[in-house]
Amino acid sequence: MILNETEFFRGIDPDVMNKITAIYSEEDHPKDTVLFKKDEDAKSIFILKTGTINLVIQNGGTFAIPLSNPGEVFGLSGMVEGGAYIASGICAEDSKVIKIDRDKLDEIFNQHPYVGLILLKRLGVVLSKKLSRLYRDFFSCSWSEPL
């Protein structure tokens, strides 16, 4: 997978993409690896290459949102200054991810603010899709007893 083929980075100026490509790392993680924990300072964003990542929220019970589509962006709190992860990211199987450091990405955005604006707009679209998916999955659950 080439980074500029992902929905999030598609169409970004090739010179800027070269700078972004220079700062990311590809990581292989075995099943059960914790990529980040809920409430931890969000220092990176991630893009799934292969495998499945569960975004896990524990609050009395456990709720997991599986991500298994190559190119899916997660850990998006890393795009927000001072952000903290709102869920834990845990490998549900052996997985390969692209990890992009927030501070290094911010340096690129400072040099190319129009790219930062484009990705901010795309961030809104990605979050909207994820929220819609969450609502759909949550409200499709059925209970055997009335609430």
Side-chain angles (χ1 to χ4, degrees), residues 58-62:
Q58 293 178 314
N59 188 12
T62 300

Side-chain angles (χ1 to χ4, degrees), residues 53-109:
I53 307 297
N54 282 333
L55 298 181
V56 178
I57 300 169
Q58 293 178 314
N59 188 12
T62 300
F63 185 75
I65 303 165
L67 307 176
S68 57
N69 297 321
E72 195 155 7
V73 181
F74 61 100
L76 292 168
S77 301
M79 292 284 292
V80 181
E81 187 174 320
Y85 294 115
I86 60 172
S88 297
I90 304 170
C91 297
E93 61 186 32
D94 293 352
S95 300
K96 181 177 279 194
V97 299
I98 292 172
K99 182 178 179 181
I100 304 175
D101 179 87
R102 175 188 63 208
D103 293 336
K104 291 177 182 177
L105 192 58
D106 281 348
E107 289 175 20
I108 294 171
F109 292 162

Side-chain angles (χ1 to χ4, degrees), residues 24-145:
Y24 80 66
S25 60
E26 287 191 22
E27 300 179 348
D28 292 303
H29 296 283
K31 179 182 178 180
D32 297 325
T33 299
V34 177
L35 300 174
F36 51 86
K37 293 180 181 177
K38 181 182 182 299
D39 297 326
E40 194 174 75
D41 184 29
K43 296 181 180 181
S44 303
I45 65 168
F46 298 83
I47 300 165
L48 182 64
K49 286 192 78 170
T50 62
T52 300
I53 307 297
N54 282 333
L55 298 181
V56 178
I57 300 169
Q58 293 178 314
N59 188 12
T62 300
F63 185 75
I65 303 165
L67 307 176
S68 57
N69 297 321
E72 195 155 7
V73 181
F74 61 100
L76 292 168
S77 301
M79 292 284 292
V80 181
E81 187 174 320
Y85 294 115
I86 60 172
S88 297
I90 304 170
C91 297
E93 61 186 32
D94 293 352
S95 300
K96 181 177 279 194
V97 299
I98 292 172
K99 182 178 179 181
I100 304 175
D101 179 87
R102 175 188 63 208
D103 293 336
K104 291 177 182 177
L105 192 58
D106 281 348
E107 289 175 20
I108 294 171
F109 292 162
N110 287 335
Q111 297 168 5
H112 306 278
Y114 66 95
V115 173
L117 180 60
I118 290 169
L119 293 181
L120 182 60
K121 290 178 181 180
R122 290 184 183 169
L123 175 64
V125 170
V126 169
L127 291 174
S128 177
K129 286 180 180 179
K130 287 186 185 303
L131 189 57
S132 294
R133 178 178 163 195
L134 178 63
Y135 284 150
R136 183 196 68 226
D137 292 350
F138 182 75
F139 289 114
S140 69
C141 296
S142 61
W143 287 270
S144 58
E145 298 176 22

